[in-house]
Amino acid sequence: MLEESHWGLMKGASSSLRAAFSHCVQQVRSYDYHHYLCLLELPANMRKAAFALRAFNVETARAMDVASDPKIGLMRLLWWQEAIDKIYANKLIEHPTAQALSSVISESKISKAWLKRVVDARINDANRDVIDLPESIEELEKYAEDTASTLLYMTLQAGGIKSTAVDHAASHVAKHGLLVKEGGRSEIRLDSREGLCDAVFEMASVANAHLVKARELANSVPVEARKALLPAVPAQVLLDSLSKVQFDVFDSRLARGVLGRPPLWFQLKLKWYSWRGIY
């Protein structure tokens, strides 16, 4: 388990708050490991908020997947919608992720509208019929903007970073999320495995274009914000791994290690980018 001093919790914090943040760290480590490694590279003043926000993302992204009945998953998302209102009304919620989020919000003044946007996007996705797939890449990009991009915006806001350039770059970095749609019930159903590979290739090409754009903006991104954009590294790793298996998402090699690459190799690559101050 990550030491408390490493994720920015003050020594005077209550035992319940310490437990809440420990829960957040464990959730991210268990269900979003490549982003867990990215968060470890953040400066201390951003790390605590980032873990709370990522844990919130894990909770909402997995709501439909872990529910035995879609209605239960939807109820969980609606619970989070109400929980956000309670947090901003300074009401106590007996849930570790909500408690950690409440602490972060009280310190960092994170926008309520952004938190609501994430949950609303998950709810809208949960309300889709299984056969009601997105009709265009633009719809998937909108979903990525409302979830992955918004998560980065809140992390930057918690770190006190205000920059149009970094928000623009964050938007492009997060658009790789259209490749691996977190949570929800939608499945891509095509007539053949080859057709699926073609569809994944099309999405990967769009995602790669966003990454290229994000990196073109690097010189205008404040140095202190660049580590928050390290999710660009796992995004590129995923694209490269997909390319090696001809964009076949059912290839077993993609399930190995971290996004299809050896864990140590991935960690060293991430450390190298972090040390150089690039993404």
Side-chain angles (χ1 to χ4, degrees), residues 163-207:
S163 165
T164 301
V166 74
D167 285 348
H168 193 186
S171 175
H172 286 290
V173 166
K175 291 291 171 54
H176 82 280
L178 60 87
L179 277 171
V180 183
K181 192 161 160 288
E182 305 170 63
R185 297 164 293 133
S186 298
E187 299 174 357
I188 296 177
R189 298 184 178 182
L190 297 172
D191 293 335
S192 68
R193 191 161 175 170
E194 181 181 355
L196 175 59
C197 292
D198 289 343
V200 173
F201 172 75
E202 182 183 356
M203 288 186 284
S205 299
V206 174

Side-chain angles (χ1 to χ4, degrees), residues 8 36 43 48 52 72 87 99 145 164 172 186 199 210 248 266:
Y36 166 81
K48 183 174 70 170
I72 296 175
I87 288 171
Q99 289 175 1
E145 174 68 24
T164 301
H172 286 290
S186 298
H210 280 295
D248 182 357
F266 179 83

Side-chain angles (χ1 to χ4, degrees), residues 120-182:
D120 288 347
R122 304 289 191 199
I123 290 173
N124 290 338
D125 184 63
N127 281 325
R128 286 181 183 271
D129 289 331
V130 174
I131 59 173
D132 184 20
L133 296 171
E135 296 181 355
S136 65
I137 290 290
E138 287 74 21
E139 280 190 54
L140 290 173
E141 287 182 298
K142 177 65 166 60
Y143 183 81
E145 174 68 24
D146 290 345
T147 53
S149 295
T150 301
L151 197 66
L152 280 183
Y153 299 153
M154 291 189 288
T155 302
L156 292 164
Q157 186 181 44
I161 297 170
K162 297 179 181 179
S163 165
T164 301
V166 74
D167 285 348
H168 193 186
S171 175
H172 286 290
V173 166
K175 291 291 171 54
H176 82 280
L178 60 87
L179 277 171
V180 183
K181 192 161 160 288
E182 305 170 63

